[in-house]
Amino acid sequence: MAVREKRFGWAALVLGALVLLGGTGCHSLPRNTLGTHNSAKWETEIQSLEAAAQTNPPPKDCVLFVGSSFVKRWRTLAEDFPGVPVVNHGFGGSQLADSYHFAERIVTPFHPRQVVLYAGSNDINAKKDPALVFGNLVALLTKLRAALPQTRLSYISVAPTPKRWEQVDKVRRFNREAAAYCQKHGIDFIDIFPLMLGPDGQPKPDIFVEDRLHMNEKGYALWREAVAPFLK
């Protein structure tokens, strides 16, 4: 009888470990490229964000936006979400691994009530397989959830752009995986992809600046409408 109880105890421990590791279903956590990614080129920009936070500390219980250039160039955040204590910590053409690398410096120290993340497009553009990009997203969200267990996490889907339209199949594949993961783990998935397409199924040309990659005011107006319900 004692032997059977002991075996049952070990089985329970193994099952518990599998449940904890099975963040994406019946499999272990997906592969990521965090160990081979070099984030050193962003050091100067990260130091600038840290210096700004020292001079003008983010408000308590802020909503912190972090990620790549779509976040950095969202200069009307405060105007778009009046009454919401928003903080913009976007940096350049960064990838998910960069936000992972610098999270302890530009995200977690401020204990935001909510983190809104946009990144992944530059990863796909760097010819990373969507499965690996998804692995990086899972690693970052897992890290944020562990460090900020009471913080609401929101992820904005990768956007369709004219300049990178040839990558659209990879973007769709990644967004599907990201949406399923977020739904399963209580993370907001803000799907801006369909909002940025016209009746012809192509990216709306009038919401982008001349580089056909970054958005103008019309583009950010679409994002504002999509994100606003998730900030309430």
Side-chain angles (χ1 to χ4, degrees), residues 68 70-71 74 96 116-122 124 133 137 141 154-161 170-180 182 187-197 215 223 226-227 230:
S68 57
F70 273 53
V71 174
W74 199 342
L96 285 159
V116 182
L117 167 68
Y118 178 81
S121 176
N122 293 324
I124 294 173
V133 181
L137 174 64
L141 292 175
S154 305
Y155 179 69
I156 300 175
S157 68
V158 171
T161 66
K170 293 181 178 180
V171 170
R172 285 193 171 108
R173 176 182 163 194
F174 168 79
N175 281 342
R176 284 195 299 269
E177 293 285 344
C182 289
I187 297 166
D188 300 324
F189 183 78
I190 307 175
D191 192 4
I192 49 79
F193 189 98
L195 304 178
M196 299 176 68
L197 300 181
M215 295 187 299
W223 277 41
V227 173
F230 293 90

Side-chain angles (χ1 to χ4, degrees), residues 67-136:
S68 57
S69 57
F70 273 53
V71 174
K72 180 180 179 179
R73 295 167 70 101
W74 199 342
R75 300 182 180 92
T76 58
L77 266 181
E79 301 168 26
D80 289 341
F81 306 112
V84 179
V86 296
V87 175
N88 191 328
H89 277 184
F91 56 110
S94 59
Q95 299 184 24
L96 285 159
D98 299 310
S99 290
Y100 181 97
H101 182 76
F102 293 113
E104 290 89 353
R105 295 171 60 182
I106 63 172
V107 180
T108 58
F110 308 106
H111 302 284
R113 76 183 191 207
Q114 183 173 359
V115 174
V116 182
L117 167 68
Y118 178 81
S121 176
N122 293 324
D123 306 56
I124 294 173
N125 189 57
K127 303 188 185 306
K128 291 182 179 179
D129 185 271
L132 285 177
V133 181
F134 173 63
N136 288 348

